[in-house]
Amino acid sequence: MTEPDLEQQPPAVEQAAPHGYQLILPPGWARIPLREGTKEALEKVLFSHMWEVPEGIPRDDAMRFRLEARRQMEKQARAARRNGGLDLYLPVLPRGGTFLMASFIVAEMPIGQYGAAPPEAVLAQLVAEDGSGKSVAKVDVAGAPAVRRFYQSTPDAEKLHSAPGAVQQAALPACRVEYVIPVVDDPGRWISINFSIPGDGDLDSEFTGVLVELFDAVVGTFRWSYE
């Protein structure tokens, strides 16, 4: 290639990494940012969204219910932030007179053990690490390859029997779905979207399956944001 040829080539355009992401939420769900603005978001959820209370709770106990709900949400937010969480998503309006015991978290995900490996290689390794009781598959998220992992967690009955009462109450069987997504044009950065639902006592019930399908549909709306 001659020197004039070089001069005629258009300059390479660098692709900017996204500044964030967007999701379309189902009605009755709210986003709680975990890096900043958490307190304000909780206040909005508590007093703007949670004006309804589940059936069976006396009107005089409505404020007590809201305060307990806030305490639980703050606890979830702190735990999610410690694990690299960016945003916590919760149902804030009752359905059929009850609140769904479900949530999902968008978090930064460390993939340091894979070094500078290209995303395709990392995704292939994640699929190959299919563990017992897990269903792992490559999927497309926002038009790019990602990994979806589905598994059911059931606490060990013998260990749970000797655990404190609070632990026994918290350790419910649950369905979990995780999407692992490389950040486009930002090598080495990954995020995960983690959904957890204890279902209705039957992890294989139609109700649980509908909630998993709802979460998959939400992830289907995922888009990177460049603004």
Side-chain angles (χ1 to χ4, degrees):
M1 182 178 291
T2 64
E3 185 173 344
D5 290 329
L6 288 172
E7 294 176 352
Q8 294 174 8
Q9 298 301 312
V13 178
E14 292 187 5
Q15 296 293 327
H19 295 161
Y21 70 91
Q22 297 176 342
L23 285 172
I24 298 176
L25 296 178
W29 284 70
R31 167 181 170 264
I32 308 296
L34 299 175
R35 298 299 173 88
E36 59 182 20
T38 305
K39 180 179 178 181
E40 292 79 5
L42 288 172
E43 292 286 346
K44 182 177 180 180
V45 166
L46 185 64
F47 293 107
S48 298
H49 293 297
M50 296 186 70
W51 54 273
E52 293 186 50
V53 296
E55 294 178 359
I57 294 181
R59 187 173 181 178
D60 293 343
D61 291 337
M63 181 54 69
R64 186 181 305 171
F65 164 80
R66 293 188 181 97
L67 293 176
E68 175 61 20
R70 173 172 179 159
R71 189 182 71 83
Q72 292 297 330
M73 286 189 290
E74 288 177 336
K75 182 179 178 180
Q76 281 186 273
R78 287 193 299 269
R81 186 167 51 240
R82 286 195 299 268
N83 289 300
L86 300 172
D87 298 298
L88 170 66
Y89 294 87
L90 297 166
V92 295
L93 294 178
R95 292 294 182 91
T98 60
F99 278 92
L100 295 176
M101 294 179 61
S103 65
F104 69 91
I105 299 166
V106 178
E108 290 189 286
M109 185 175 184
I111 306 285
Q113 65 267 37
Y114 297 104
E120 294 79 5
V122 176
L123 293 172
Q125 182 61 34
L126 291 174
V127 172
E129 292 176 354
D130 183 3
S132 176
K134 289 185 180 181
S135 172
V136 184
K138 289 188 69 174
V139 296
D140 282 345
V141 175
V147 162
R148 179 187 186 274
R149 299 193 281 199
F150 171 85
Y151 59 99
Q152 297 177 343
S153 62
T154 304
D156 186 298
E158 293 185 2
K159 293 181 179 180
L160 196 60
H161 182 71
S162 59
V167 174
Q168 293 184 26
Q169 186 176 5
L172 297 172
C175 281
R176 305 184 189 277
V177 185
E178 178 186 40
Y179 284 82
V180 181
I181 308 168
V183 179
V184 295
D185 300 314
D186 198 349
R189 291 191 65 198
W190 296 71
I191 68 167
S192 64
I193 309 178
N194 303 275
F195 174 75
S196 177
I197 173 69
D200 54 356
D202 180 2
L203 297 184
D204 296 314
S205 71
E206 181 179 357
F207 174 76
T208 303
V210 166
L211 291 178
V212 170
E213 290 178 2
L214 175 65
F215 171 65
D216 286 332
V218 170
V219 176
T221 71
F222 181 94
R223 298 292 183 271
W224 293 110
S225 174
Y226 294 86
E227 299 180 355

